[in-house]
Amino acid sequence: MGRYDVLVIGGGIVGLTAAIASAGQNARVLIVDAGINAGSNANAGSLHVQLQSRFIRLYPDQAPNVEASLPLYLQAVREWERLDALFGSFDLVRKGGLMLAEGEDQLRFLEMKARREEARGLSVEILDRRQLDALAPWLGPQIMGAELCRDEGKLNPLAANVRLRAEARRLGVEFLSDQVVSLHVDGAVVRAKGQGGQVHAAKQAVVAAAWGSGPLLKGWGPPVPSRAEPLHMNITEPGEVRINHLIQHAERSITLKQFGTGQIVIGGGWAAHDRGNASVPSVLAASMLGNVALAARLVPSISRLRVLRTWAGMNTTVDGKTVIGRLPAAPNIIVAVPGDAGYTLGPLVGRAAAEIAAGQPPSFEIANYGPSRFAA
Ligand SMILES: Cc1cc2nc3c(=O)[nH]c(=O)nc-3n(C[C@H](O)[C@H](O)[C@H](O)COP(=O)(O)OP(=O)(O)OC[C@H]3O[C@@H](n4cnc5c(N)ncnc54)[C@H](O)[C@@H]3O)c2cc1C
């Protein structure tokens, strides 16, 4: 029998919160993490709830999966608020998100989207320019209106990650740097073989390895089609403007928000240069220029700010929907890969993984999110 109750493979937001929830119930937990390309260390800190236009445009086939998951995003943001109250501050602000329209067509698109989101329980409203001026007077003159989703928010992922790691350590979670190359089940023990041949054993394993999950689970049932997606980010020096909302666009890829420091974080899905999963993606000049130029068009006053840092990070996509549940072929292995906007969903998915490991009913109905759906 392994020394650990739960072996968590992948130490991003999902693995970390799964470990905290398990250790909080007195489980002995080991996190084994490859230490490369965690989206959780590179992300923008947007708490997404409304359907992202970027996702609808890039992955139209997957958009119905995201739409069906909308109630999960609401629950996920509440989970973030719970963690912020317990272990924060994460600089979490939940004043809503604005998706901007620069033309009539975009406004019609947002109206249609809002109706679909309302049907899923989201609190959304279409604002005209006059109403928008009361909330966001700093927007460019060409903005005609916006969809306000009151459920959205933002946080500082660097602060959240540091505080959650500290909490995991306080609860006795152990961390080990290694890349798991294969999984073996031996009765009631899961053995995970590391790159250098070391074997990590536990009664149960949670695979929270994002882009690494598909390759690791090969041969354990229907393939989990996890894909790495290198993305670009920027952060400016502090600005005097006060932006409370998460800002997005009806047609173009962008997220824009302001941290408590006054700095503007600009991202939202611009590509970075893929150098393979074992290397950090590199920045593309065209993405940096395009991303900040769009930001400055939407909020002209920030065009005077200097960009302090740009970086690239690895996002993971599957089919738009979270993958969570025990492997039918090996019930002591639990898969936990969040759907689109995985940092938002991460703590809810991590908590559900811990609940499943403990034999408790998960915080949300997981029937539609299991790994066996890929058999179809
Ligand atoms: C630039 C960028 C901006 C983003 N912005 C947002 C945002 O604003 N809001 C939002 O909700 N989401 C955002 N995302 C998405 C979000 O960051 C990810 O979906 C989320 O962090 C995934 O968390 P995770 O715990 O599943 O995996 P990750 O944080 O990706 O961690 C997975 C870990 O598993 C490890 N691993 C992989 N394979 C193995 C293996 N075989 N053995 C051991 N370890 C392994 C990796 O090294 C990594 O450390 C963004 C992503 C990027 C890249």
Side-chain angles (χ1 to χ4, degrees):
M1 183 69 67
R3 185 161 101 73
Y4 298 99
D5 297 307
V6 181
L7 168 68
V8 178
I9 302 168
I13 190 64
V14 174
L16 205 49
T17 50
I20 289 172
S22 291
Q25 298 198 60
N26 298 320
R28 293 158 304 166
V29 183
L30 171 68
I31 294 181
V32 177
D33 184 81
I36 180 95
N37 278 334
S40 302
N41 295 341
N43 79 93
S46 312
L47 293 178
H48 288 287
V49 178
Q50 64 179 306
L51 283 165
Q52 289 184 68
S53 47
R54 160 189 123 85
F55 200 83
I56 300 173
R57 201 181 59 254
L58 291 181
Y59 306 106
D61 52 318
Q62 300 179 17
N65 278 343
V66 181
E67 189 167 353
S69 309
L70 286 178
L72 220 59
Y73 288 83
L74 271 179
Q75 208 182 331
V77 174
R78 288 187 201 119
E79 179 66 7
W80 265 116
E81 287 180 319
R82 190 183 75 85
L83 294 179
D84 183 57
L86 285 172
F87 313 125
S89 162
F90 305 153
D91 205 4
L92 191 157
V93 176
R94 194 180 174 195
K95 295 208 167 144
L98 292 169
M99 194 171 281
L100 310 179
E102 292 184 282
E104 281 294 341
D105 285 359
Q106 294 174 8
L107 213 47
R108 296 291 88 78
F109 163 77
L110 291 178
E111 282 165 2
M112 174 272 296
K113 189 169 86 71
R115 280 197 295 275
R116 281 159 57 179
E117 290 162 342
E118 243 172 351
R120 304 272 181 181
L122 271 53
S123 172
V124 292
E125 187 186 342
I126 299 294
L127 307 179
D128 62 22
R129 180 64 210 219
R130 193 183 47 78
Q131 292 167 306
L132 209 45
D133 274 337
L135 296 181
W138 29 259
L139 285 170
Q142 79 285 13
I143 310 293
M144 294 183 64
E147 179 182 355
L148 167 66
C149 175
R150 294 189 190 82
D151 307 300
E152 292 194 307
K154 56 184 178 176
L155 53 72
N156 183 335
L158 297 181
N161 292 340
V162 164
R163 300 211 154 96
L164 290 172
R165 264 183 222 122
E167 176 59 17
R169 287 211 168 81
R170 193 188 70 75
L171 289 167
V173 173
E174 293 176 39
F175 290 78
L176 198 91
S177 190
D178 196 359
Q179 177 150 0
V180 175
V181 291
S182 59
L183 294 167
H184 310 267
V185 176
D186 185 4
V189 183
V190 185
R191 294 185 208 282
K193 197 168 163 199
Q195 221 164 22
Q198 200 184 345
V199 173
H200 318 288
K203 292 177 190 162
Q204 303 194 77
V206 172
V207 176
W211 47 265
S213 303
L216 187 56
L217 292 167
K218 207 166 164 208
W220 286 100
V224 175
S226 59
R227 267 177 302 142
E229 184 192 35
L231 296 180
H232 179 89
M233 289 296 312
N234 314 280
I235 188 164
T236 71
E237 63 186 333
E240 278 171 17
V241 61
R242 281 291 154 261
I243 302 175
N244 292 319
H245 297 80
L246 167 64
I247 306 297
Q248 297 183 79
H249 191 276
E251 224 169 58
R252 306 290 310 279
S253 288
I254 191 156
T255 61
L256 186 157
K257 70 184 70 65
Q258 191 169 31
F259 279 170
T261 56
Q263 292 167 284
I264 315 288
V265 180
I266 302 163
W270 288 69
H273 178 59
D274 195 351
R275 302 192 302 150
N277 292 354
S279 304
V280 178
S282 57
V283 164
L284 293 171
S287 285
M288 184 200 163
L289 296 173
N291 201 186
V292 299
L294 175 59
R297 188 173 94 203
L298 303 179
V299 186
S301 62
I302 66 170
S303 61
R304 287 189 297 272
L305 298 177
R306 287 171 299 178
V307 172
L308 290 188
R309 193 161 74 88
T310 65
W311 68 97
M314 203 64 103
N315 186 32
T316 297
T317 67
V318 184
D319 61 352
K321 221 163 75 169
T322 294
V323 192
I324 179 90
R326 294 186 183 278
L327 285 185
N332 44 1
I333 300 178
I334 298 155
V335 190
V337 181
D340 182 53
Y343 199 71
T344 304
L345 292 171
L348 184 67
V349 174
R351 181 174 169 183
E355 288 161 343
I356 295 168
Q360 296 157 354
S363 292
F364 61 94
E365 178 50 72
I366 61 164
N368 291 327
Y369 297 100
S372 46
R373 71 177 183 265
F374 300 112

